[in-house]
Amino acid sequence: MLEQTGPVPHSPLDQRSFRDVLGRFPTGVVLVTAQAAHGPVGMAVNSFTSVSLDPPLVAVCAANTSTTWPAIRATGRFAVSILGDQHAELCRLFSEHGADRFAGRRWARSAAGHPVQADGPGWLDCEISAIHPAGDHELVIAKAAGGAVTDSAKPLVFHAGRFRALVA
């Protein structure tokens, strides 16, 4: 039997309180990269999830204000590099506007030619299947065409506004 208590305290759901509530849900962090005509482009994303096993689909959310996403979207495909717990600084770099994101690090190339993090836990090559407007973001559905597990590192996790480490 359900034990009843009084009402749960709440406040109006403005943008800040919405972010605070969702910040309690831990998320993984990935890099979304592509080889564009003018060179490699990429961005850090924590709105990433698997959607389907058959066919293998993933979802990524890209902000409408992103200056990087239009270049990735124009290629029609991208790579996802899953970040390990040693990549917090790299993630911050990929979140900075105007940063030279690819300098000074080892990058591998996926089968489709996209830069992938050489020392990350894994990566996927993806082809964009659909893009849906979703508020101040675009919801991108992409088919995973290839990928690999490349390291056994613990994943980079974002929770309550900070990077966190998983404890075994």
Side-chain angles (χ1 to χ4, degrees):
M1 177 181 282
L2 178 67
E3 182 179 323
Q4 300 225 4
T5 62
V8 177
H10 70 281
S11 59
L13 197 57
D14 60 14
Q15 191 177 66
R16 178 75 257 163
S17 59
F18 184 61
R19 288 180 65 134
D20 289 345
V21 170
L22 292 180
R24 298 308 185 261
F25 182 73
T27 62
V29 186
V30 301
L31 298 182
V32 173
T33 57
Q35 185 60 44
H38 64 281
V41 291
M43 61 187 187
V45 173
N46 74 337
S47 295
F48 170 77
T49 191
S50 63
V51 174
S52 169
L53 292 176
D54 187 17
L57 299 175
V58 296
V60 173
C61 292
N64 293 337
T65 58
S66 171
T67 57
T68 304
W69 171 240
I72 295 172
R73 182 180 54 220
T75 70
R77 41 191 208 146
F78 55 84
V80 174
S81 293
I82 299 168
L83 295 181
D85 61 2
Q86 76 275 24
H87 293 126
E89 288 305 314
L90 179 63
C91 184
R92 285 185 187 93
L93 176 65
F94 269 71
S95 299
E96 290 179 20
H97 182 70
D100 187 356
R101 298 172 176 165
F102 293 91
R105 292 199 61 88
R106 249 184 51 214
W107 292 92
R109 292 280 175 184
S110 71
H114 304 299
V116 293
Q117 188 52 53
D119 64 345
W123 60 270
L124 294 169
D125 259 335
C126 300
E127 299 169 4
I128 297 173
S129 299
I131 300 175
H132 305 282
D136 58 4
H137 281 66
E138 288 186 333
L139 172 62
V140 182
I141 307 296
K143 182 177 181 182
V149 172
T150 52
D151 193 284
S152 61
K154 292 179 182 174
L156 184 61
V157 177
F158 197 71
H159 176 259
R162 298 183 353 182
F163 294 113
R164 309 284 181 155
L166 293 181
V167 178

